[in-house]
Amino acid sequence: MIWIIGNRGMLGQELAEQLAARGIANVGSDREVSILDPEALRHFAQGVQKDTPIKAIVNCAAYTAVDRAEDEAELAHALNAEGPGNIAELARSVGARFLHISTDYVFSGAASQPYREDDPIGPTGVYGRTKAEGETRVREACPDAVIIRTAWLYGKYGPNFVATMLRLMRERTELGVVADQRGTPTWARDLALAIIAALTAPEWKPGIYHYTNEGETTWYEFACEIYAQGRARSLLPHEVTIRALTTDQYPTKAKRPAYSVLSKEKIKRTFGLEIPYWKASLKQYVGSDPIS
C-alpha cells in the first residue's frame, strides 16, 4: 500500500490516478489528517495497516503560495518544514519508504548552468527557506528518504500557469509575460510517473534527485508555446499579442529565481528514465486535458 499525503492537490491526484492505472494499491489523505499532528498521522497509519502494510509514503502536501508566504512565514514553516519532519519520523517508525517533493526555490537562481543535486542551496524567500528546512528535517528523521525537487509544475488537477494563460488568452487580446526568468515546465503526469519509477525500482535508492521535463525556456516563451498549442486546437477564439516583460516590470513580493533549470542526469541514470521534452508534454497535455 502506498499512502499519498496531499492527495487532493494537483500532483497527489495525478499520482493516485497513475498508480491506480497500474494496479498499485494506494490510499490518500489531505487536510483531514494534519501533518502538524504526529498523533493524527499515527492514527491514520494504524487504521490503514489493519488491512495491509504501508510500503511507502509520498508527501505531496506543501504551502506553495510563494508571495503570500512572505506574510505567512509561520504557516509556511509549519507546513513545509515541521510537517515533512513529522511524516519522515512516522515513515521510519512504521518501516515505510518515504518520498518527499521539494522545489527549485531552494536555490538562489544565480547560476548559469543546470543545478545539480549537490550544488549549494541558497533560497532567497520564505517559501524556499521553509522548503530547504523541510529537506533537512526529512533527511535527519529518515536518512533513507528520497527527495525529488521539481519546478514549474502544471496539470489538470489544480490552478497552474497553463490554465491561467489559456483563460487570459480567451479573455484578452494582449498579455505581458516575464522573459528574463529561465526554467523548465513540468507536467504533473510525467512527474507522477517518475515517482512511480522510484517507488517500484528493484532497489530503493535514497537521496536527493531533480525532475522536470527536458529543455529550458522562459515564462514568455512558455506562454507563446501555450498560445500556439491553444490556437492549433481551436481553444482560443482570437489572436493575442504577447509582450515580453522584465522582472522589474512585473514586481512580486517574493523574489523569483532568475535561473532555475535543474539537471536530471542523476534521476535518469538511477532509474533508467527517458524524460520528455517540455514542448512535447505540453502538446499532449493541451490535447488530452483541455481547460474549459
Side-chain angles (χ1 to χ4, degrees), residues 3-290:
W3 176 9
I4 304 170
I5 295 179
N7 72 317
R8 295 196 193 114
M10 178 165 56
L11 179 58
Q13 290 189 71
E14 190 71 66
L15 178 58
E17 182 177 296
Q18 296 303 320
L19 286 168
R22 287 156 180 78
I24 300 174
N26 66 91
V27 64
S29 66
D30 206 86
R31 295 184 182 184
E32 74 278 5
V33 182
S34 174
I35 63 175
L36 305 181
D37 185 346
E39 183 56 36
L41 290 169
R42 281 193 295 271
H43 181 74
F44 186 87
Q46 289 167 358
V48 173
Q49 297 207 114
K50 287 180 181 178
D51 299 318
T52 182
I54 298 174
K55 293 183 178 180
I57 302 173
V58 181
N59 181 36
C60 299
Y63 184 107
T64 59
V66 175
D67 290 317
R68 198 163 68 237
E70 298 298 312
D71 297 320
E72 298 181 345
E74 186 175 335
L75 179 58
H77 182 269
L79 295 175
N80 290 343
E82 296 173 22
N86 292 338
I87 303 167
E89 290 178 3
L90 175 72
R92 185 176 62 180
S93 71
V94 301
R97 294 173 174 177
F98 182 42
L99 191 150
H100 174 66
I101 303 299
S102 193
T103 176
D104 60 309
Y105 274 75
V106 301
F107 295 111
S108 68
S112 57
Q113 60 185 12
Y115 283 103
R116 297 169 57 91
E117 289 82 355
D118 56 358
D119 284 337
I121 62 173
T124 60
V126 169
Y127 171 66
R129 287 196 294 271
T130 59
K131 290 295 287 184
E133 184 175 341
E135 291 186 6
T136 298
R137 292 197 180 202
V138 165
R139 297 175 75 185
E140 288 176 348
C142 186
D144 287 338
V146 165
I147 296 172
I148 298 180
R149 296 173 179 149
T150 191
W152 295 27
L153 195 64
Y154 68 90
K156 66 180 178 179
Y157 289 117
N160 62 85
F161 185 77
V162 180
T164 298
M165 285 295 103
L166 288 173
R167 175 179 59 80
L168 293 175
M169 289 169 184
R170 287 195 296 269
E171 297 172 353
R172 306 178 187 179
T173 58
E174 185 174 326
L175 292 173
V177 182
V178 172
D180 57 359
Q181 296 171 17
R182 297 195 70 81
T184 308
T186 308
W187 188 16
R189 183 176 298 178
D190 290 336
L191 176 55
L193 295 179
I195 292 170
I196 293 172
L199 293 173
T200 59
E203 183 180 351
W204 184 242
K205 297 286 188 177
I208 297 176
Y209 299 89
H210 290 167
Y211 186 93
T212 64
N213 283 120
E214 289 283 23
E216 61 180 80
T217 188
T218 66
W219 290 110
Y220 168 76
E221 292 165 345
F222 190 14
C224 289
E225 185 63 21
I226 292 166
Y227 174 69
Q229 295 292 345
R231 289 287 282 177
R233 285 159 182 75
S234 301
L235 298 177
L236 302 174
H238 54 255
E239 294 185 359
V240 177
T241 299
I242 305 174
R243 296 180 293 106
L245 303 179
T246 64
T247 296
D248 289 342
Q249 290 176 297
Y250 193 82
T252 55
K253 180 162 289 191
K255 181 181 178 181
R256 265 55 175 179
Y259 185 88
S260 61
V261 180
L262 302 177
S263 169
K264 278 79 66 177
E265 293 309 309
K266 180 180 177 182
I267 200 167
K268 288 192 291 186
R269 180 178 65 250
T270 302
F271 300 110
L273 297 180
E274 294 185 7
I275 301 178
Y277 187 65
W278 74 266
K279 286 186 179 181
S281 287
L282 177 65
K283 182 177 181 179
Q284 189 175 355
Y285 167 69
V286 173
S288 62
D289 302 317

